[in-house]
Amino acid sequence: MRIAVYPGSFDPATNGHLDIIKRSAKLVDKLIVGVLKNNAKEPLFSIDERVALLKKLTKDMDNVEIDSFSGLLVDFLKKKNATIIVRGFRAVSDFEYELQIAQTNYSLDNNIETICLITRVEYSFLSASIVKEVAMYGGDISKMVPQETANYLNKKYKGSKS
Ligand code: PNS
């Protein structure tokens, strides 16, 4: 059984993340979306909120499971019997960051392969940080995130517009 993990902060999940989930789920028997708990960046959404949102967004995808993890990614993969890491690759600016993550994970466990899916061009400018900034100032995020994510963001920022 080919099991892959798609790790990230998912703070919150965007259309770009969802696209990578759908496409990578077709390549493997099981895809586990691993939501990082102990993030150095202070997340807007709690771990429970990020996991609950991803569960809603993937409820019709049979071979996709949502889970959270803390500590090393390679240890999470071992726990889940997974051997593949999936990452989305948007532009050249992602290269150094993705290379560093992939090489670090490879040096920690050389049985693990990282596959990077090239983001669809319509999502190539998208990031969770950009989405949060646009949402915070009341901009239109309808093309950037699924409706469920927009609902979560609207709830968070309701009353905080200035
Ligand atoms: O969405 P992000 O923040 O770019 O995802 C980064 C992530 C979760 C892939 C990375 O920070 C990670 O795997 N963290 C867990 C700790 C770890 O294993 N570090 C060594 C490899 S970078």
Side-chain angles (χ1 to χ4, degrees):
M1 182 142 157
R2 193 170 288 169
I3 305 175
V5 169
Y6 176 32
S9 309
F10 303 102
D11 184 40
T14 66
N15 281 341
H17 293 132
L18 208 54
D19 178 53
I20 298 291
I21 293 173
K22 281 182 196 155
R23 288 163 54 207
S24 55
K26 286 188 204 151
L27 304 175
V28 294
D29 299 303
K30 185 173 172 185
L31 178 74
I32 300 161
V33 181
V35 187
L36 182 66
K37 267 189 216 171
N38 56 335
N39 203 328
K41 312 171 219 165
E42 184 58 44
L44 176 67
F45 293 97
S46 70
I47 187 67
D48 291 344
E49 287 173 316
R50 285 179 279 148
V51 166
L53 175 57
L54 275 160
K55 280 190 176 165
K56 278 185 197 166
L57 298 175
T58 58
K59 66 178 188 319
D60 298 326
M61 300 180 204
D62 290 342
N63 67 335
V64 176
E65 176 186 312
I66 312 297
D67 205 346
S68 60
F69 75 101
S70 50
L72 286 178
L73 177 58
V74 292
D75 291 336
F76 181 61
L77 266 92
K78 231 170 266 167
K79 193 177 119 194
K80 295 286 184 180
N81 286 321
T83 51
I84 301 166
I85 296 169
V86 172
R87 294 285 288 171
F89 192 98
R90 287 166 299 191
V92 175
S93 50
D94 280 341
F95 182 74
E96 274 188 50
Y97 180 56
E98 294 306 329
L99 185 72
Q100 195 177 23
I101 294 178
Q103 296 290 30
T104 305
N105 288 324
Y106 187 57
S107 76
L108 291 171
D109 186 338
N110 62 10
N111 292 312
I112 289 173
E113 291 294 349
T114 298
I115 57 169
C116 285
L117 295 192
I118 306 297
T119 304
R120 295 254 186 258
V121 72
E122 59 269 39
Y123 307 130
S124 60
F125 69 98
L126 256 188
S127 72
S129 318
I130 291 284
V131 167
K132 282 183 279 191
E133 190 163 317
V134 175
M136 183 165 66
Y137 295 114
D140 180 10
I141 51 166
S142 60
K143 290 195 178 72
M144 303 176 188
V145 296
Q147 188 56 50
E148 291 283 4
T149 302
N151 295 345
Y152 268 61
L153 281 162
N154 290 337
K155 215 163 142 192
K156 234 354 138 192
Y157 288 127
K158 210 165 75 181
S160 70
K161 271 186 236 167
S162 55

